[in-house]
Amino acid sequence: MTTLTRPSPKRAIGGAFLAIFGALWLVNACFQANFARAPWLVAIALGCVALLAWTRKVYLTRGVGYVELADPAEQLRIKRAFKLVNVAQYGGIALVLVVMNVIHHPEWIAAGIVAVVGAHFLPLARTFRYRGYYLTAAAMLGVALLNVLVGDAQITRALTFLATGAILWVTAFCLLTDS
């Protein structure tokens, strides 16, 4: 069992991953909305770089004098759970791609992928003991549901990708401001 007096510097690493994946969703939103022009793409790149720089600063700041009291067995459990959740996530994405094409509903692929990515935050919340991931999961699952309910048009996909990227960046922000 881990006893911590302040957030682990490792939490900032999660912020870095979310910054990068959020940027990828936002770039995809630009392409879906036909806004893939230099100013938008540069703004996303600058936002990602800013989040990554902030992540580095938080990681270094939190690391000063930080002592993790987790036993090696607990650290191994966390590492294994993280790998398993991500393997399941990528398997789920592959399954969405196959199933939606087999049942001739490619318009649900975006919603399916967002749902799988959102659902993967549920076990991560428990694994990393970060309740904010429950809100991330709920928001992404809500976006996926809205995508299905509204219908698949190019603008709906663009808004779905925009919302997903924004949710990931907000989660990164929350991880970095958590004290």
Side-chain angles (χ1 to χ4, degrees):
M1 179 108 172
T2 305
T3 307
L4 304 175
T5 57
R6 60 187 165 131
S8 167
K10 293 178 184 175
R11 194 168 279 176
I13 295 170
F17 278 102
L18 295 177
I20 293 166
F21 283 111
L24 293 173
W25 283 99
L26 293 171
V27 166
N28 202 350
C30 286
F31 279 99
Q32 288 294 319
N34 294 319
F35 282 172
R37 292 173 184 77
W40 293 105
L41 299 176
V42 168
I44 293 167
L46 290 175
C48 186
V49 167
L51 276 171
L52 290 172
W54 186 20
T55 294
R56 182 178 185 280
K57 180 181 181 212
V58 168
Y59 181 81
L60 294 174
T61 302
R62 286 183 185 167
V64 173
Y66 182 84
V67 177
E68 189 163 10
L69 303 175
D71 63 14
E74 174 74 1
Q75 291 174 345
L76 183 61
R77 181 199 65 79
I78 290 170
K79 197 177 288 188
R80 284 183 179 159
F82 179 71
K83 287 178 183 177
L84 181 64
V85 167
N86 280 295
V87 166
Q89 174 189 222
Y90 291 119
I93 290 170
L95 188 64
V96 164
L97 292 169
V98 170
V99 169
M100 294 309 157
N101 282 305
V102 166
I103 67 171
H104 305 291
H105 281 289
E107 71 274 12
W108 292 344
I109 289 174
I113 291 172
V114 171
V116 168
V117 173
H120 108 288
F121 282 100
L122 294 171
L124 290 182
R126 191 170 137 245
T127 298
F128 292 121
R129 293 181 174 90
Y130 181 66
R131 287 189 251 161
Y133 284 153
Y134 290 119
L135 294 174
T136 301
M140 290 181 72
L141 291 168
V143 166
L145 180 63
L146 281 172
N147 178 279
V148 171
L149 294 175
V150 171
D152 187 65
Q154 191 169 359
I155 192 65
T156 304
R157 278 191 309 275
L159 291 172
T160 298
F161 297 156
L162 176 68
T164 301
I167 290 165
L168 294 178
W169 274 13
V170 166
T171 305
F173 178 85
C174 292
L175 283 168
L176 297 172
T177 57
D178 187 26
S179 57

